[in-house]
Amino acid sequence: MLQVDNKNQTNELENNNVTLIHLAPCPQILPALKERVDLFVPARENLEYVALQLSQLRILEGGHQMPLECEARYKIAILVPYRNRFKNLCWFLLNLHPFLTKQKLDYTIFIIEQFSESSSKEDDGRFNRGKLLNIGYTEALKLSDFDCFFFHDVDLLPMNNGNIYSCPDQPRHLAVAVDKYNNKLPYGQYFGGVVGMSRTHFKLINGFSNIFWGWGGEDDDLYYRTTFHRLNITRYPPKVASYHSLSHPRQKVNPHRYKLLETKFIRFKSDGLNSLNYEIKSIKKLPLYTHILVDMVDRFKDANYRK
C-alpha cells in the first residue's frame, strides 16, 4: 500500500516519488476473541463453493494471507500431507482460513499430495506422512523465506481462538486435546496431529524420518529426534489446544513401526531432510492453497518398507 503527501501529490506521482507506509508490528497478544470456535459446515463439498464462502477474507493466490492493518511478525507455512481426503480438505480450508486470519498472521497453506499411479482412489502403496512433510518444508522454502512451519493433519480443526499459531521459541505440540481421544493425550509422548517448529529447529533435527510407510510411528520418531537434541516440547493447556477430528477411512497401519523405532538413535543423522528422494509432478498456486503433487519415487523400493 502506498501513501503520498497531498501537498505535492501531482509532482510526486509524476516523478514516481511515493512514500511507503511503515506499518506497526501486529500485537503479540490479540484483542479478546470469542473463546470457542464456531465450525463452518460446507453446504457443498467443492472448492469453488468454499472459495466463494471465503471471498470476504481476500485470500491471495496460493492460499497466502496477510494482515493489511499491521505488519505480521513472522512468515508461517502450514504444511498438510494429503491423499484421498477431499471432504476433509473442504472442511479444513473453510475453517482454518478464518481461524488464522483472526490471528493477524502472514501465512500460506500448502497441500502436499502423494501421487498415485493407480487410476482408482485406492492405492496399494501406504501413505508416508513424514516424507510428505519433509518435501513440503523443502519446496516451501524455495518459494518464500518462512520463519516457522506448522505440520498439520487435514482432519483436525482447532476449536479455541486462544490456540495461537505464532512461531514458537521451542517446538510446540498443539493437538493436545482431540475429541476422538476424549480430549486428552493418548499417551505422554504423543507428538502428532499438529506440531509447530521453527525452520532452525526442524533443520537441526533433520526433519521427519522418510521410512515410515503406513499409519503410525513417524510422530513418535519426531518426538525422539526433538528431545535427543535437547529441545523442549511445549504445549498449551488442553482447554486451549482442543481440536475436532473429522471422520475418514482408517489408513493402513505400518506393521514395522515399533521395530523401526528401535533404530531411532542411529538414523537421525542419515534419515530425513538430507536423504530425500522424490519427483515433483506439479506445483500450482490455487485460490485457497498451494498444491504440491509429488511422486515418492521409492515407495515400493525402500528397504525398510514391507507390504
Side-chain angles (χ1 to χ4, degrees), residues 281-293:
K281 306 297 286 187
S282 66
I283 298 179
K284 297 179 181 178
K285 290 188 175 182
L286 302 177
L288 298 179
Y289 59 92
T290 296
H291 180 244
I292 301 175
L293 181 63

Side-chain angles (χ1 to χ4, degrees), residues 6 15-16 19 50 82 110 127 130 182 188 203 245 250 252 287:
N6 290 333
N15 297 326
N16 292 322
T19 303
V50 173
Y82 177 83
F110 292 86
F127 190 63
N182 296 318
K203 183 177 180 180
S245 178
R250 185 172 175 81
K252 293 182 179 180

